[in-house]
Amino acid sequence: METLQKPDLFNRLTKEQFNEVVKSGFSKTLPSKSILFQQGDPADTCFLVNSGCLKLAMVNEEGNEVIVRYVDAGELTAAITLIKDRDYPVTAESVGETEVTGWDKQAFMGLMRDFPDIAINILGIVLERLEEVQHRYQELCTEQVERRIARTLLRLMQRGGKKTPEGIEIDIPVTRQNIADYAGTTLFTVSRTLSAWKKRGWVKSRREHITITDPHALVMFTDKG
Amino acid sequence: METLQKPDLFNRLTKEQFNEVVKSGFSKTLPSKSILFQQGDPADTCFLVNSGCLKLAMVNEEGNEVIVRYVDAGELTAAITLIKDRDYPVTAESVGETEVTGWDKQAFMGLMRDFPDIAINILGIVLERLEEVQHRYQELCTEQVERRIARTLLRLMQRGGKKTPEGIEIDIPVTRQNIADYAGTTLFTVSRTLSAWKKRGWVKSRREHITITDPHALVMFTDKG
DNA sequence: CGCTCTATTGATAAACCTCAAATACAGTGG
DNA sequence: CCACTGTATTTGAGGTTTATCAATAGAGCG
């Protein structure tokens, strides 16, 4: 692992302190599509994504998957570990090859004691995340599918989009099913919707890859249905 | 205001410290159905509910209301205040007469510096809340209305239920519309569903009041559809 | 080339919302 | 006590959205 970018989480630490913090954890490299932790397992480790991307998803009894969010490089996940005796509420799966640093509960609690700013930082991060989920909850309650799909594409785009001559391409492989799991619909509806938007020149797609050719149109669509 | 119960948030403080903390904030009594803070206003104060209950709701551009959660006595809300420069993402309205203690950002940040345990406590609280919203998000994605309505009734019941000879009565006034806003459906569907359940002997209701006469049946229903 | 996984498209059906109309209920002022 | 008013609730009919299912086509890989 080369020298890491210092992520937001540790923004108030010096370079030396940050290196110390990283050393107190352990590093792990995941091949694509491997499980980092599983919903229902006792939560004992939290992770910082160094590179790559994790997909956080919940599965219900019937086996329906719901994508909670994607976790990018520089972001922390499984902060739930810091609460007493909980299970992971979600499953984390690497999207591409992904490198993470992990700390067990003890180690991370120690860090927070040594660097009290970390606790405040995490609080801020978790609060933002809460707000985002609440917002998506509201969208799911009140908006129709196509709008939700549009929002999903825009979110994925903002998360990580590569500029290409054609438009902005979402930089992780996503299937129609993934988008459906994210937007709360079915892969069929997603497919139909994308086909319609392709005709209008808003998007282009190859297998598992989507390029948004007219982001502005999509934004307008989310605003005014 | 009489001597308050010391809420979970401050569980690690001594009685004296707690009194000091309360004194550093300001107290406010809200009549029923009054707005404490409004979605979109700059978030500058966070509140502890001393008695009564707050309804947190978001409204979208079309005016549809979505209930995010109910905040009971002993619970903190608007922790978002602690992040730099945000607006309240929700509106808080008192359900019955409600007493709150408020701290502005400065004051609360000071508290967290003086009593570092508070930051950790809040982190735990926010993490639990995040988990709960994620769970409801998943339910909304994957489950049909009736099941969601059942879950809503059970949540409201657990939140605050009075035992009566008939069963357990939800201790705050809730309209069909409220339940709909909570479960992500319409008041008509809620009404129809409750009528059906009344026939089966699962619930009883008067205007704005619901008694769950057979909680077990409802739980079974949420488990097995 | 054949195998597997993903995507498209159409037909059909179910779930749920929308709207309208009637009824019940609580509070208010005469 | 009663009529009056403004909500809350119930119920029905009808329509829309979206899911379900089935069948087919396309893409990547050994």
Side-chain angles (χ1 to χ4, degrees):
Chain A
M1 172 176 27
E2 317 84 84
T3 48
L4 287 171
Q5 233 7 41
K6 190 167 55 125
D8 281 0
L9 169 61
F10 299 120
N11 61 0
R12 301 192 210 181
L13 272 55
T14 65
K15 204 81 188 171
E16 291 75 38
Q17 289 176 325
F18 173 57
N19 286 334
E20 184 186 332
V21 163
V22 169
K23 258 190 295 184
S24 74
F26 63 93
S27 185
K28 195 167 178 176
T29 302
L30 305 160
S32 192
K33 300 200 180 183
S34 54
I35 305 290
L36 178 58
F37 55 83
Q38 186 103 34
Q39 173 182 1
D41 289 350
D44 55 3
T45 314
C46 61
F47 297 93
L48 176 69
V49 176
N50 299 326
S51 67
C53 180
L54 294 173
K55 185 185 81 178
L56 299 191
M58 307 175 82
V59 185
N60 70 355
E61 313 82 56
E62 279 90 27
N64 304 304
E65 182 168 298
V66 174
I67 293 179
V68 173
R69 69 188 187 96
Y70 285 94
V71 185
D72 287 309
E75 296 189 304
L76 186 79
T77 192
I80 192 86
T81 302
L82 307 174
I83 307 189
K84 199 162 137 20
D85 294 334
R86 281 298 179 89
D87 293 341
Y88 294 113
V90 298
T91 296
E93 183 186 322
S94 56
V95 176
E97 188 182 277
T98 301
E99 214 178 43
V100 299
T101 304
W103 293 269
D104 64 24
K105 183 173 174 155
Q106 283 241 324
F108 207 87
M109 285 304 227
L111 285 184
M112 291 203 298
R113 247 187 308 277
D114 294 344
F115 307 103
D117 282 341
I118 295 183
I120 309 241
N121 269 358
I122 293 190
L123 183 55
I125 291 167
V126 175
L127 282 167
E128 278 183 4
R129 208 160 289 167
L130 177 64
E131 193 179 336
E132 202 234 314
V133 181
Q134 280 177 359
H135 211 257
R136 280 176 60 202
Y137 184 82
Q138 190 248 34
E139 287 163 15
L140 193 56
C141 272
T142 61
E143 296 184 344
Q144 315 221 113
V145 216
E146 296 208 336
R147 232 205 258 205
R148 300 200 312 262
I149 294 173
R151 288 193 196 280
T152 300
L153 290 188
L154 291 172
R155 287 211 171 91
L156 289 171
M157 188 186 88
Q158 281 159 3
R159 199 202 56 78
K162 262 201 317 255
K163 271 187 196 143
T164 72
E166 309 241 276
I168 300 174
E169 183 178 350
I170 291 167
D171 69 350
I172 51 170
V174 281
T175 63
R176 302 289 182 265
Q177 182 68 57
N178 291 152
I179 294 172
D181 293 343
Y182 205 131
T185 176
T186 62
L187 76 120
F188 307 101
T189 301
V190 172
S191 179
R192 267 182 255 276
T193 304
L194 289 186
S195 295
W197 291 348
K198 193 183 296 186
K199 280 194 194 112
R200 294 189 211 163
W202 294 2
V203 300
K204 273 200 161 48
S205 67
R206 349 189 300 271
R207 173 183 250 237
E208 298 201 339
H209 289 270
I210 299 177
T211 301
I212 292 136
T213 46
D214 190 348
H216 185 63
L218 269 193
V219 172
M220 293 296 290
F221 183 79
T222 60
D223 283 353
K224 315 193 299 179
Chain B
M1 174 178 22
E2 318 81 83
T3 47
L4 288 170
Q5 235 3 44
K6 189 166 55 124
D8 280 359
L9 169 61
F10 300 121
N11 61 1
R12 300 194 211 181
L13 271 56
T14 65
K15 204 82 190 170
E16 291 75 37
Q17 289 175 325
F18 173 58
N19 286 335
E20 184 186 331
V21 162
V22 169
K23 257 189 296 183
S24 74
F26 62 93
S27 185
K28 196 169 177 174
T29 302
L30 305 161
S32 192
K33 298 198 181 185
S34 55
I35 305 290
L36 178 58
F37 54 82
Q38 187 105 33
Q39 172 183 2
D41 290 350
D44 55 3
T45 315
C46 61
F47 297 92
L48 176 70
V49 176
N50 299 327
S51 67
C53 180
L54 295 173
K55 184 186 79 178
L56 299 190
M58 306 174 83
V59 186
N60 70 355
E61 315 81 55
E62 279 90 28
N64 304 304
E65 182 167 298
V66 174
I67 293 179
V68 174
R69 69 189 186 94
Y70 286 94
V71 185
D72 287 308
E75 296 189 302
L76 186 80
T77 192
I80 192 87
T81 303
L82 308 174
I83 307 190
K84 200 161 136 15
D85 294 334
R86 280 297 179 90
D87 293 342
Y88 294 112
V90 299
T91 296
E93 184 187 321
S94 56
V95 175
E97 187 181 279
T98 301
E99 214 179 42
V100 299
T101 305
W103 293 268
D104 64 24
K105 184 174 172 154
Q106 284 241 323
F108 207 87
M109 286 303 226
L111 284 184
M112 291 203 296
R113 248 188 307 278
D114 294 345
F115 307 102
D117 282 341
I118 296 183
I120 309 240
N121 269 358
I122 293 189
L123 183 54
I125 291 168
V126 175
L127 281 168
E128 278 184 3
R129 209 159 289 167
L130 177 63
E131 192 179 334
E132 202 232 316
V133 181
Q134 281 176 0
H135 211 257
R136 280 176 60 200
Y137 184 82
Q138 189 247 35
E139 286 163 16
L140 194 56
C141 273
T142 60
E143 295 183 345
Q144 316 222 111
V145 223
E146 296 207 337
R147 231 205 259 205
R148 299 200 313 262
I149 294 173
R151 286 192 197 281
T152 300
L153 290 188
L154 291 172
R155 286 211 171 90
L156 290 171
M157 188 187 88
Q158 281 159 3
R159 199 202 58 77
K162 263 203 313 258
K163 271 188 198 142
T164 72
E166 308 241 279
I168 300 173
E169 182 178 351
I170 292 166
D171 69 350
I172 50 170
V174 281
T175 63
R176 303 288 181 263
Q177 182 69 57
N178 290 152
I179 295 171
D181 293 343
Y182 205 132
T185 177
T186 63
L187 78 118
F188 306 101
T189 300
V190 172
S191 178
R192 267 182 256 275
T193 304
L194 289 187
S195 295
W197 291 349
K198 193 183 297 187
K199 278 193 196 113
R200 293 190 211 164
W202 293 1
V203 298
K204 276 203 159 48
S205 68
R206 352 189 298 270
R207 176 183 247 237
E208 298 199 337
H209 288 270
I210 299 178
T211 301
I212 292 138
T213 44
D214 190 347
H216 185 63
L218 269 194
V219 172
M220 293 297 289
F221 183 79
T222 61
D223 283 352
K224 316 193 299 177

